[in-house]
Amino acid sequence: LVMGAVGAANPITPRRTIALAAAAALLMRLAFGFGYWVDKGMTGDEREYLSLARSLVSGHGFTYDGGLLSEQPTPLLAPGYPAFLAMVGAGRTMTSAVPASVKVAQAITGSISVILLGIIGCRLAGPTVGAAAAWIAAVSLPLVWISAFALTEAIAWPMGLLVAYLFD
């Protein structure tokens, strides 16, 4: 299971290739979140998720806090993502932008997902496919920019990969 140039002194293994892809994924997500997507405002869904996270942290359960009194909230939001936001520190204060802790946590989650995708690719189709899948996920623009938003998709695709890995 060795990839790289023929006769290379230090061959690049699939494990190393996937690890490099994950590191690149983390750096790209952090660079986008902190280098470009700064003070761009939030969507209504993001404000709702953060409101629910603040309510969870303050002990008021799954209810909207005072930050959304003037808005019409979207019905039926699932509790998992606001709980994730609360766990990573997004529920401490009212904010006009996605908190840094959310961007970092979601960048890490995205990087772990690149590893999972690489492992799944190796299991299903071999080391070359696993490494290619990891690099494609690492540089895929939608997967890079989603980590800067407070939206469920940032953790939904990693959770889907984890389920696929566990059931494969």
Side-chain angles (χ1 to χ4, degrees):
L1 299 177
V2 175
M3 294 177 23
V6 175
N10 190 7
I12 298 177
T13 63
R15 179 178 287 172
R16 186 177 301 166
T17 302
I18 292 168
L20 288 172
L26 180 64
L27 291 175
M28 288 181 66
R29 284 153 177 76
L30 291 173
F32 179 82
F34 293 105
Y36 176 73
W37 202 256
V38 179
D39 296 326
K40 304 280 188 187
M42 292 188 292
T43 66
D45 285 349
E46 288 177 297
R47 287 191 299 274
E48 289 177 28
Y49 287 127
L50 290 168
S51 173
L52 291 170
R54 285 190 302 272
S55 286
L56 289 170
V57 167
S58 67
H60 294 101
F62 196 67
T63 60
Y64 293 108
D65 68 1
L68 285 177
L69 292 179
S70 64
E71 297 183 30
Q72 179 64 32
T74 307
L76 303 175
L77 290 177
Y81 188 64
F84 168 80
L85 292 175
M87 286 189 318
V88 299
R92 288 186 224 136
T93 61
M94 181 100 49
T95 179
S96 61
V98 176
S101 63
V102 173
K103 291 180 182 183
V104 170
Q106 292 182 163
I108 292 168
T109 303
S111 181
I112 292 168
S113 299
V114 167
I115 294 169
L116 271 174
L117 189 60
I119 292 169
I120 292 169
C122 287
R123 286 169 102 179
L124 296 178
T128 303
V129 170
W135 275 103
I136 290 168
V139 300
S140 173
L141 294 180
L143 298 179
V144 169
W145 62 255
I146 197 64
S147 64
F149 292 82
L151 296 172
T152 58
E153 291 80 359
I155 65 165
W157 81 277
M159 288 175 57
L161 286 173
L162 182 59
V163 168
Y165 174 77
L166 293 174
F167 284 95
D168 175 41

